[in-house]
Amino acid sequence: MAIGRVAKLTFKAAPGAVIVQIIGAFIDAILPIVTTFFAALTTTALAQAFAGDETAGARAISYVIITAVLGVVMTAWSSISQYLEKALGYRVEAAVSDRMYEHFLKLDFWRYDDKQTIDTYDRAQQFARFFPYVFSRLANVVSQFIALIAGLVALILVSWWLGLILLAAVIPGIIIQFKLSRAQTAHWNSNVETRRSRSMIEWDMLQPTHMAELRVYGLVRYLLDMRMKLRDKDEKKQIEFERQFILKRLGANTIEAAAEVVALLWTVTQIIGQALPVGQFIYVQQVVSRALGGATGFVRAINSVDEDLANLVDYQSFMELPETESVGNVLRDTPKRVSLHDVSFRYPESDVLVLDRINMDIQRGQHIAIVGENGAGKTTLVKLLTGLYQPNSGSIMIDGTALTDIDVRSWHKQLGVLSQSAMRYTFATARNNIYFGDVGQKFDQKRFDMAVDWSESRKFLEKLPKSYDNYLMPWMEDEDGNKGVELSGGQWQRLALARNFYRTSPIIILDEPTSAIDALAESRIFKHLFGAKDKTIITISHRLTTVKKADVIYVLSDGKLVEQGTHKELVEAKGEYFRIFESQL
């Protein structure tokens, strides 16, 4: 069943190449045996010619020509099959990886925090990574199986009991290999976290931005040792499986070798007794060798395919996860009011209430600040406002309509969201880093200039070797040989702000977006931002200079809304807000 699903998906991606490869599997299996048959006839004809048969010489020449033609066909097919394998691999890899990436990016947002989902995804990736080659391996399985069956049939035509002996000889090897394959697959699935930890260490250790801390803290040797322990835990165990099966494999190989010796000794005795022609020795020897090779190849091919097909279950489980549905009313105009009514929320598989009966009312054009200590629930509140998570109880209303009843894509078009961990598109130029704020429309130079000025990015961007067209990572290089540059943390934040400003969204949500920018620059940036009276701004910040400018300040503590009001009102109340900002006051 699993093989059928692989074949179906592969055929859908590249039907022509699949058909040719199936035909090729038969060619790979049958052609060598046919060649061996004519080689045996050639030997027999030469022996007959040596014995005085005048017509045997002509037959020998004919057989040689046929054998040579078959050799040319095999060589030509080898070149064609290599091309087809690469073409098929590309087509299938493109189809499968595109589908998997798109599916991963459309899952319900909570799944990115769900360990079981991520574990399934990691195992599915293992299958998807090698999927382009799975069908080639399946074709190899078919080819080796046909070679085995063809060899057995060819031997049965000589003597039925030779075929029976050969069949009995290959069965132990196949059983042993299946057991080994199952053990290795079970080990692979039980060590997902080991490989994940190792890959994360390898990635982090090769990031230039991490080098300073790794060396100053003396972590390089420690992490290298940790990486080696994780590698040994994963790969040494697989080697241990191989060691455990050495004697069993040796026994199976001995049985196969004994069967080959018996077949050849019987053939020799038959030739001596003139019951078989001389050429039959070569025929039997080659056929037995081919059959045993087919059995060995079949077992090895089954081993590699069996591991892949075992991961197919995880791949299918992952691909069957439901995608986020974007249904509901489409927002046509900028919302005039966003309100939260008794909103409570806890993360999946957690009993901790992160937000507890939150009530807020945000009017169009208002500047809102949300403050609180770390862990108060501020960032979680942003996730709910953006529709990435849904409240466990209560509701978020957009102009009187529940957010759950609104097409989330139309809601996202109204938003510009920027957090302190904003994306750094190191593979792109500075210009594209800003344009990514609104790729749904053509590049707008006027909006671009506004975004650069508002974020105060123009000065440092125009100093780059290629200005806005410079790459922002030292490992990148353009066609003219100009290398990328590394930006500081504050410069990256300004670039992220520019991307947000380029978006020109009517509702802007800022979650600590200027933590690496000096206070004076931040003050100027927010002066531009708060000067836009047509924009609704929701800011999370620990800087009093930013917070105090808000029309309404909401104070969170342990997931609860404990205070709200203007800066002046909250200071005079000398409550939680006063306590948080007392040192800055």
Side-chain angles (χ1 to χ4, degrees), residues 139-159:
N140 187 37
V141 170
V142 173
S143 178
Q144 298 295 344
F145 181 72
I146 293 173
L148 171 62
I149 298 302
L152 290 173
V153 172
L155 275 182
I156 290 173
L157 293 177
V158 177
S159 174

Side-chain angles (χ1 to χ4, degrees), residues 57 81-83 228 240 255 367 459 475 487 542 584:
S81 63
Q82 288 179 14
Y83 162 75
M228 286 188 286
E240 178 65 18
I255 293 173
H367 299 163
K459 187 175 180 180
W475 292 5
L487 300 183
H542 287 97
Q584 297 184 55

Side-chain angles (χ1 to χ4, degrees), residues 90-123:
Y90 169 74
R91 293 281 297 277
V92 175
E93 192 277 333
V96 173
S97 63
D98 289 352
R99 185 178 173 216
M100 192 166 185
Y101 276 125
E102 290 179 7
H103 185 65
F104 180 76
L105 296 172
K106 292 180 179 179
L107 295 177
D108 289 332
F109 192 82
W110 66 266
R111 290 194 177 276
Y112 303 124
D113 294 323
D114 179 53
K115 183 181 181 301
Q116 183 176 352
T117 299
I118 300 305
D119 285 348
T120 303
Y121 173 67
D122 280 349
R123 291 192 293 266

Side-chain angles (χ1 to χ4, degrees), residues 51-78:
D53 187 342
E54 296 180 356
T55 62
R59 290 200 304 275
I61 293 173
S62 299
Y63 296 148
V64 167
I65 294 173
I66 293 173
T67 304
V69 170
L70 291 173
V72 171
V73 172
M74 289 178 65
T75 302
W77 172 248
S78 178

Side-chain angles (χ1 to χ4, degrees), residues 226-288:
M226 183 183 291
R227 170 186 170 273
M228 286 188 286
K229 288 179 182 179
L230 293 170
R231 179 194 61 199
D232 291 346
K233 180 182 178 182
D234 183 29
E235 298 181 8
K236 273 191 174 181
K237 186 64 176 178
Q238 296 184 50
I239 297 174
E240 178 65 18
F241 286 138
E242 294 285 347
R243 187 188 67 78
Q244 293 173 2
F245 279 80
I246 286 178
L247 293 178
K248 296 177 181 179
R249 277 179 166 173
L250 181 60
N253 292 337
T254 301
I255 293 173
E256 292 176 2
E260 183 175 9
V261 170
V262 169
L264 294 178
L265 287 176
W266 180 85
T267 304
V268 168
T269 58
Q270 294 297 306
I271 292 173
I272 292 174
Q274 296 185 348
L276 291 174
V278 175
Q280 287 293 79
F281 178 82
I282 295 178
Y283 176 70
V284 171
Q285 189 271 331
Q286 289 294 320
V287 167
V288 170

